[in-house]
Amino acid sequence: MKLLEDRILSEGKVLPGGVLKIDGFLNHRLDVELLDSLGKDVAAHFSNQKPDLVLTVEASGIAFAVMVAKYFGCRVLVAKKHRSVNIADDVYTAKAFSFTHKRENTLVVSKEYLQAGMKVLVVDDFLASGSATVALLSILEQAGATPVGIGIAVEKSFQGGREKLESMGLDVYSLARIADMDETGVKFVR
Ligand code: 5GP
């Protein structure tokens, strides 16, 4: 999506360790108009799927997920990140390795909000190794819910997440796909 690619080129900074910083519009300071356009585009791609729910991870996926859900008229379920092991019975959990913080988190979702048979679109701001998304898919499997696809704002295509998800038979739709990046700039998949 040209709009997002242009914004990455004009405002993005590549940090050491393969991290792209675009929090000035995506997840720290929020450009609501831009996020709305991103949500609309993802919803158009998955329009035939008619999900019952959008599932994301706190905190950085929330704004983007809200905009996607707005176009489906459905709710957003936000998996919470916990570091403790004191987890109650009434939740689904899955472990995810945090790419940015370099530690393992347990993702937690209340059983009350995720029922068997629900069609769920999984959404996140970034796709890197796929660890966060795979954990969300595990939660859906535990609940007996069905993933209808994966919607991503920025995919770093050189970090393996897409291959992992496609090998599970999922439709991965990313608005910007980065082929390569370093301190001198960002190259998109063409
Ligand atoms: P994965 O689990 O696919 O390895 O990484 C995805 C998660 O890590 C996303 O939820 C996102 O919050 C974070 N992440 C991965 N790469 C980046 C990045 O380059 N920049 C930022 N800001 N977050 C990232």
Side-chain angles (χ1 to χ4, degrees), residues 71-83:
Y71 285 96
F72 286 119
C74 70
R75 297 191 187 192
V76 181
L77 183 58
V78 180
K80 305 280 185 184
K81 282 180 190 163
H82 282 245
R83 294 188 71 187

Side-chain angles (χ1 to χ4, degrees), residues 151-168:
I152 299 290
V154 182
E155 170 189 323
K156 292 182 293 175
S157 304
F158 53 94
Q159 287 173 332
R162 169 176 286 273
E163 288 72 15
K164 214 177 273 177
L165 299 171
E166 284 183 339
S167 74
M168 299 164 81

Side-chain angles (χ1 to χ4, degrees), residues 18-23 27 57-58 60-61 81 96-100 124-133 156 159 161 181:
V19 173
L20 178 66
K21 184 175 164 8
I22 47 173
D23 62 359
N27 51 32
V57 193
E58 69 173 3
S60 60
K81 282 180 190 163
F97 184 77
S98 167
F99 181 86
T100 37
D124 204 1
D125 59 342
F126 277 91
L127 175 63
S129 71
S131 177
T133 311
K156 292 182 293 175
Q159 287 173 332
M181 64 183 203

